[in-house]
Amino acid sequence: MRRLAFSLVELLVALAVGSLLLVGASRLLATTVRTSKTEGATFRSQQEALAALEGLEKETQGKGVGAVLPGSGENLLSLVLLGGNGHPVLIKGYSASGFRIAASSQPEFQPGDTILLRNAAGQAALLSVTKLTQLDPDTWEVSLGGCQNPVIWSENARAFKAETLTLEYASGTLKLTTKDGTVEVAQIPEFKVSYVYRTPDGQETLSTAYQGLTLNTGAKLAAVSLFARGSQAGNRALTARFHVPRTATGVIACGAQNPSQGLGVVTVVVSP
């Protein structure tokens, strides 16, 4: 004869087994939720660090590093970025208030722009353009404002469109300053700049302060390294490194006279 009901013992056993299954399922769900939160936090942390590095990459894209400026250090990086190939500077008309360039079309820079003027010896200066005058189809006159031109003319002197870029980290905030103003790049707990110096035999050392083109050991600045750390533990640190070429040995401070007259030069690195 068929049984149509369960005994009390069978019901208790079924309840016990069901409870164990529910506990297991609850623990699995809790573990999944925690894992998801952790992975999400790690992802957000990586995005924070990535934003810090991408801010600089976006601004430097398509431009050359013309100089690492004095005052740069572990939490501050000041760069001069160069646009285009520059224009040859002519000896005729070369003076403290202006100079002439060879250009068969519209020059790369315009009035109001900042330029980097550099001679073959590596001497350079940041100057402001106030006026451009076309003298003939292949020659333009550049008039300067603000600081006078302190650079000695030489063969192969060139003028480049330039802009300064400053990356500054303070109190957990990374800010980027360009000609368009200052913007907040990211809120991150750690950001560092290091300066990579390379010895003649290829050995590299890191410095948290910019020390110029050459150290007493003979090592020369080869690259700048950036380190960004997000807010969560785990796979959170990102690094980037970009080469610093040297085509100039110094950038003369605004208002300084030509160093050929015995006055000082502010040492700065520009491309190799």
Side-chain angles (χ1 to χ4, degrees), residues 208-265:
T208 56
Y210 169 62
Q211 301 179 51
L213 176 63
T214 305
L215 302 181
N216 294 333
T217 60
K220 296 182 178 181
L221 183 68
V224 174
S225 177
L226 306 177
F227 174 89
R229 186 183 295 277
S231 57
Q232 297 294 324
N235 186 20
R236 61 183 182 175
L238 295 176
T239 59
R241 173 168 161 161
F242 61 89
H243 176 61
V244 179
R246 293 189 307 276
T247 50
T249 57
V251 173
I252 302 171
C254 181
Q257 297 185 34
N258 197 294
S260 65
Q261 301 174 7
L263 297 182
V265 175

Side-chain angles (χ1 to χ4, degrees), residues 84-90 94 99-102 108-109 115-120 123-125 151 153-161:
N85 298 315
H87 299 286
V89 177
L90 310 176
Y94 194 85
F99 52 85
R100 297 177 183 181
I101 60 172
E108 295 172 352
F109 45 79
I115 61 171
L116 182 79
L117 176 62
R118 188 190 67 217
N119 65 18
Q123 202 179 81
V151 178
W153 182 87
S154 72
E155 292 283 352
N156 299 318
R158 297 186 77 83
F160 299 85
K161 181 178 180 179

Side-chain angles (χ1 to χ4, degrees), residues 55-79:
L56 181 60
E57 181 182 11
K58 180 180 177 181
E59 292 296 329
T60 59
Q61 190 171 19
K63 303 171 185 175
V65 177
V68 177
L69 294 176
S72 295
E74 185 176 26
N75 299 125
L76 177 70
L77 176 63
S78 294
L79 300 175

